[in-house]
Amino acid sequence: MFHWTESRIKGHFVICFLAFLLERTLEFKLKKANLEASPQKIQEILNSMNFAQVKIERSKFLIKTKFDSLGNGLPPIKRTLS
């Protein structure tokens, strides 16, 4: 990424830091649940997920519609994120 202004550089740093923090938090929660997963494996699993957004009255829900073979790791991750 090429950012030239100070505000864009700071914004880019904040986004990168938040992504890193989220990744490490997920790794920690998975490890605590006795599930070992590398950052690459977590990313592959998350990238394989497809969802449909459904509105019922005033509530919105995401329903998992498709996943590949990596989706076998999704239920533990889903429970961990809850």
Side-chain angles (χ1 to χ4, degrees):
M1 274 289 145
F2 295 101
H3 297 294
W4 303 103
T5 65
E6 185 176 347
S7 63
R8 291 206 178 239
I9 292 169
K10 286 180 179 179
H12 181 79
F13 174 80
V14 168
I15 288 174
C16 290
F17 181 76
L18 290 174
F20 172 75
L21 186 61
L22 179 61
E23 179 182 289
R24 295 298 291 165
T25 301
L26 186 52
E27 281 182 73
F28 175 75
K29 286 188 172 219
L30 288 171
K31 191 171 189 173
K32 191 175 179 182
N34 294 322
L35 300 167
E36 293 292 329
S38 68
Q40 293 80 14
K41 183 72 169 178
I42 293 168
Q43 186 176 10
E44 287 176 28
I45 292 169
L46 293 175
N47 286 340
S48 73
M49 297 166 55
N50 288 334
F51 291 92
Q53 184 176 2
V54 177
K55 289 183 183 179
I56 300 175
E57 296 178 9
R58 295 182 181 163
S59 299
K60 293 180 184 177
F61 301 93
L62 292 176
I63 299 173
K64 183 172 56 170
T65 60
K66 179 183 173 186
F67 57 90
D68 62 16
S69 61
L70 293 171
N72 293 333
L74 290 178
I77 290 176
K78 183 179 174 188
R79 282 194 302 269
T80 301
L81 291 174
S82 301

